[in-house]
Amino acid sequence: MHLREIEVKRFYHTWLGLLEFTNRKHNIVPELKITRDPKVLNPQQLLPIKDKLWEDESVIDEYLKQNEKIFDATERDTIISWKRRVSGKFIIMKHLKNYTVFMHAEEGGKLYGVTGISNLIEDMFPSPSLPLYAEATLVPFAGRIIYDSLIEPYQIRLGPGIRKNLNNDYRNLKSVHGIVTVL
């Protein structure tokens, strides 16, 4: 599952505006002109900008303050909600009907049901390639969990023993905590 077209446009308008503000504030990639069309952007140029944003959460507050008269309540609430993000290393475990399950790789991690943005996550990472280690930031959006538009997979091949252990961890976490679908 992925967002509806109107939600995709709203997400990228909001997200890329915040990245553009972060880039200008910190002068990370000075030559970059961020457009509201994600198809023309180079993800490698956006990575250091999004890393700086998540490193310095005060950028969100400053962005909201400087644009308070421009944002409607939905856009403002969306940006504020991104403070509840979950960042780090995940294992993308499996694709289900309504989302893809990401298992937080830290000790005692949780399972998150993550929806694709404009495409299915399964299109990027087909089932035969799972489980897959990746770095990501999960954010709330439109009552669901999505990722901040950039997933960085690790090129690590997992042997059958590790796969079996991960699947056992998945089953245990699912039975004890379930799958988190709202941040």
Side-chain angles (χ1 to χ4, degrees):
M1 176 171 274
H2 58 81
L3 299 176
R4 293 176 296 139
E5 186 61 34
I6 192 165
E7 293 170 323
V8 172
K9 287 179 182 176
R10 187 166 55 91
F11 168 72
Y12 279 117
H13 175 79
T14 304
W15 173 242
L16 295 174
L18 181 56
L19 286 181
E20 181 178 39
F21 179 83
T22 304
N23 189 40
R24 275 188 282 125
K25 175 178 173 49
H26 292 286
N27 202 32
I28 301 162
V29 186
E31 72 281 2
L32 180 63
K33 301 291 183 242
I34 297 179
T35 70
R36 295 300 196 263
D37 181 3
K39 293 175 184 144
V40 300
L41 295 171
N42 178 349
Q44 292 305 312
Q45 289 183 308
L46 296 180
L47 280 171
I49 301 168
K50 79 128 182 155
D51 289 344
K52 184 64 176 178
L53 166 65
W54 297 138
E55 174 188 305
D56 181 10
E57 194 174 276
S58 69
V59 172
I60 291 174
D61 296 324
E62 189 175 336
Y63 182 59
L64 288 168
K65 187 174 182 179
Q66 286 190 17
N67 295 287
E68 65 186 333
K69 290 182 169 63
I70 298 171
F71 296 139
D72 64 23
T74 302
E75 193 168 19
R76 185 186 69 251
D77 292 346
T78 295
I79 295 167
I80 291 169
S81 77
W82 290 346
K83 291 182 177 187
R84 298 191 309 267
R85 73 195 172 279
V86 179
S87 297
K89 292 176 178 46
F90 294 87
I91 299 115
I92 302 174
M93 292 299 296
K94 57 178 56 189
H95 304 295
L96 301 177
K97 180 182 178 184
N98 293 321
Y99 46 73
T100 295
V101 180
F102 283 50
M103 183 168 63
H104 207 275
E106 68 182 26
E107 187 69 31
K110 294 181 180 177
L111 300 174
Y112 296 92
V114 181
T115 301
I117 299 172
S118 59
N119 297 309
L120 299 171
I121 296 172
E122 186 171 7
D123 291 345
M124 294 185 293
F125 310 111
S127 291
S129 67
L130 302 183
L132 174 73
Y133 278 94
E135 185 126 359
T137 296
L138 309 182
V139 295
F141 187 79
R144 291 174 257 180
I145 299 173
I146 63 171
Y147 55 99
D148 68 1
S149 79
L150 300 165
I151 298 175
E152 301 171 75
Y154 292 99
Q155 300 303 317
I156 300 172
R157 294 190 61 101
L158 303 175
I162 293 174
R163 293 167 79 96
K164 182 179 176 185
N165 289 339
L166 289 172
N167 283 319
N168 287 336
D169 290 346
Y170 169 83
R171 281 192 293 282
N172 290 336
L173 287 169
K174 186 176 178 188
S175 70
V176 173
H177 303 289
I179 298 173
V180 177
T181 58
V182 176
L183 294 176

